[in-house]
Amino acid sequence: MSARRHEGPDEGAGGFVQQYFRNEQRQRLPVLKHRLQLLYAIETHLTTIVIGEPGSGKSTQLPQFLHEAGWTADGKVVACTQPRRIAAAMLAQRVADEMGVELGTTVGFSVRFSDASDPQTTRIKYLTDGTLVRECYADPLLSAYSVIIVDEAQDRTIATDTLLALLKKIQRKRRGDLRVVISSATLDAERLQAFFGKDDTAIVSIAGQLFPVDTQYLDAPCENYLTAAVETVARIHELEAPGDILVFLPGKDDIAAAISQIEELTHGDARLASLQPLPMHAGLSTDEQRAVFEPAAAGMRKAIFATNVAETSVTIDGVLYVVDCGFVKQRVLDLATGLDHLVTQPISKSSARQRAGRAGRTQPGKVFRLYTHEALGSSLHPRHEVPEACRLPLAPMLLTLKALGVNNLVRFDYVQPPPPALLSHALEALASLSAIDLQTGALTQDFGLYLAELPLDPPLGACLLNSVRRFGCAREAVAAVAMLSLGESPFSAPSGRMAEAREDWRDFVVQEGDVLSRVNVLLGYQDTPTRARQQWCRTHFLNARLLDQATRISRQLEGYLARFGYGKSELASSCGRDASLLQRCLVSGLFANAARRRGPSGGSYQLLRGGGALDIHPSSVYFGADATPEYVVFASAMTTTKAYINGVTAIDPAWLTALAPNYYSASQTAPV
DNA sequence: CACCAATCC
């Protein structure tokens, strides 16, 4: 181990004045006081758990400490993973600036669609945890890395949990040659220490740079968190010193309702006229989000009504007051129906702490919790969020593990074992797609392996592979799965101009349903010159951000197909005027989501394999349509106020028995 | 008929 020690590397770049300024900034960070403690812990333990509040500087400084201490000698790399792409890119940029090097040289990052790293020169590399998991395909021991820092581990995403489980295995195989650092704000540290082995795991706590936050609770539970939130904002505005307000609400509808209530209040009350309500959620365009980051106009106070994006992903400066309704929307797989639910539920205790911390970033702040102290202390609010691997469909994760040589998925050493029913649900799904062989449990040759490599949900991956192998409609299928993988509809118009928009959309919308209509949109977008695309989207009431993203996904998917050995002509294959080719291709992957209309007309459906009513989602082209198809497959189902299906395509039921004979017998799909 | 949290490969 001592061989890799040497004096701190001399980067050479950067003048004296800049260097002085950089050091000045770094010296204020709390993590500096723990430099030796951290380096010692990492030197003497295989795994180190670092608990540090936001603002401690751990994400930017720890990789530099390790670099300076020699962990990047011999060409080795220190990795730091993040759950989100923006974070990985921004941290890399910051550290490159601090070190006075150009991004992409000594300091780099690698995320989907963007790789600013160089295998020859990069020594500190920021990645998303999903990207690092994928690097295991090429290098199962991650041998390029000497230390892997898994940051923001409290999020417990599927990718983070997958990575942690793999790292434990890799550590064994590399015989003490790989150090793992798990870093997080408020972590279930004991669980992770137990997972990685108590003797080999150190825990280091770092104080944050947060200011004290004064906490206020309700004396009694409120009946309506929306009303309570609006009243609290008004009261803060009247009674408290200047400073912006951040309000956590579960969803967009609540945000819109709260803002309109505030606007009503400000009309009737001159004292509230200086309150400036603003929405913040992931559905907003970058332009719409900008207002939240700009300082309030002179004499005005911003009140930002936000979803959970503001809890971790987005940081807004100048917030002194936080109003926390105490709820969050979370996706949960309902095993009884096999459908996703979006449930509004009480937040965890650690999430409540995280939200409160948003008030104390620049000076002492206040948090107004719209629940009682007793409630927060009770079992109503769990200590931590349920990890994704214990509540979401696991087929993608299991496919990854299989591809990396994990044979027994039931006995695999998960950070937290998923409920057995969740595992069997995923295994059945994979078997029905012929991704795994039910007898041997192995990935099927080529097909299963390709599905594991594709950055798509397995059913969509199956559609894509079948488009080149069986149907000859790759051009349309690439567009279709790219759109479906984003979920949202590209058709979006302000409510006031809906009629006008609908008229325009008739150029794209076809009777075959959402998927073919969205393919028309995406191919139309891609046929438009790049510089004219924004305007094209505006005139047609289409979501430009979504179509840009779908275009990048399309290109990436074509790259995968080319790597799998499919030639130019196969990639260019098109169904031409025969839409049924694409429809059958969709059935070949989405057959499990086949549904039949319940009445002689209308938008109420039912799964062929049984279950309750499924309604056409309002963003589907079939919503409110005069004529709806009797049989459909859908790309997604989600229960919110009702069970809704979206991404709907008309089908011929005979295709189901032809394309998924093991899943459907002829009698199930025969018309009554 | 009346609507989805935010992420990632």
Side-chain angles (χ1 to χ4, degrees), chain A residues 6-12 67-70 72:
Chain A
H6 69 127
E7 286 304 304
D10 178 17
E11 295 301 339
H67 178 54
E68 288 157 5
T72 56

Side-chain angles (χ1 to χ4, degrees), chain A residues 586-597:
Chain A
L586 292 165
V587 168
S588 77
L590 297 171
F591 54 84
N593 293 344
R596 187 183 182 192
R597 200 179 54 217

Side-chain angles (χ1 to χ4, degrees), chain A residues 115-324:
Chain A
D115 184 359
S117 72
D118 173 13
Q120 300 305 316
T121 59
T122 300
R123 293 293 164 264
I124 296 177
K125 186 167 163 188
Y126 287 86
L127 318 84
T128 47
D129 28 29
T131 304
L132 189 56
V133 168
R134 265 159 199 278
E135 286 194 2
C136 295
Y137 288 162
D139 180 6
L141 294 180
L142 294 174
S143 52
Y145 300 98
S146 58
V147 185
I148 293 173
I149 305 166
V150 181
D151 203 0
E152 306 286 344
Q154 75 280 353
D155 285 15
R156 299 297 303 276
T157 64
I158 292 215
T160 304
D161 273 20
T162 307
L163 180 61
L164 288 173
L166 290 172
L167 288 177
K168 181 177 172 184
K169 277 182 76 113
I170 293 171
Q171 273 185 327
R172 299 244 162 101
K173 291 199 182 133
R174 280 180 54 177
R175 297 163 179 272
D177 186 39
L178 173 68
R179 294 292 194 270
V180 172
V181 179
I182 305 160
S183 164
S184 107
T186 49
L187 191 73
D188 208 346
E190 289 98 50
R191 178 186 291 279
L192 275 168
Q193 192 185 31
F195 178 72
F196 278 94
K198 214 165 169 28
D199 293 341
D200 282 330
T201 305
I203 298 183
V204 179
S205 290
I206 304 172
Q209 210 178 22
L210 292 182
F211 293 89
V213 176
D214 176 46
T215 307
Q216 307 211 9
Y217 294 89
L218 294 186
D219 292 331
C222 67
E223 279 186 22
N224 180 333
Y225 61 73
L226 195 64
T227 317
V230 169
E231 283 168 1
T232 306
V233 167
R235 212 178 63 233
I236 293 171
H237 188 54
E238 286 178 45
L239 302 176
E240 302 284 348
D244 296 331
I245 309 169
L246 175 60
V247 187
F248 284 100
L249 291 171
K252 286 182 248 216
D253 49 342
D254 282 326
I255 288 170
I259 288 177
S260 81
Q261 285 185 31
I262 288 280
E263 278 165 352
E264 261 175 53
L265 284 179
T266 54
H267 286 314
D269 188 338
R271 283 173 305 176
L272 292 175
S274 53
L275 198 53
Q276 185 184 356
L278 295 164
M280 180 69 210
H281 53 80
L284 298 175
S285 70
T286 32
D287 274 351
E288 291 167 312
Q289 288 189 9
R290 194 159 303 150
V292 159
F293 298 106
E294 278 165 10
M300 299 287 282
R301 187 206 297 268
K302 285 191 292 183
I304 299 144
F305 293 87
T307 59
N308 236 21
V309 271
E311 190 180 301
T312 45
S313 308
V314 160
T315 298
I316 304 157
D317 286 325
V319 170
L320 284 198
Y321 308 99
V322 162
V323 179
D324 174 15

Side-chain angles (χ1 to χ4, degrees), chain A residues 298-381:
Chain A
M300 299 287 282
R301 187 206 297 268
K302 285 191 292 183
I304 299 144
F305 293 87
T307 59
N308 236 21
V309 271
E311 190 180 301
T312 45
S313 308
V314 160
T315 298
I316 304 157
D317 286 325
V319 170
L320 284 198
Y321 308 99
V322 162
V323 179
D324 174 15
C325 79
F327 288 94
V328 66
K329 282 189 189 180
Q330 247 188 10
R331 188 161 79 105
V332 176
L333 178 67
D334 178 6
L335 284 161
T337 60
L339 302 177
D340 283 340
H341 268 234
L342 195 63
V343 245
T344 304
Q345 58 188 30
I347 59 172
S348 67
K349 295 177 188 15
S350 55
S351 178
R353 239 187 77 177
Q354 183 84 10
R355 287 181 175 189
R358 291 305 192 173
R361 294 190 58 259
T362 45
Q363 55 178 292
K366 286 189 183 180
V367 57
F368 299 81
R369 290 179 165 154
L370 303 180
Y371 39 90
T372 64
H373 186 66
E374 292 70 35
L376 185 63
S378 77
S379 57
L380 195 65
H381 296 273

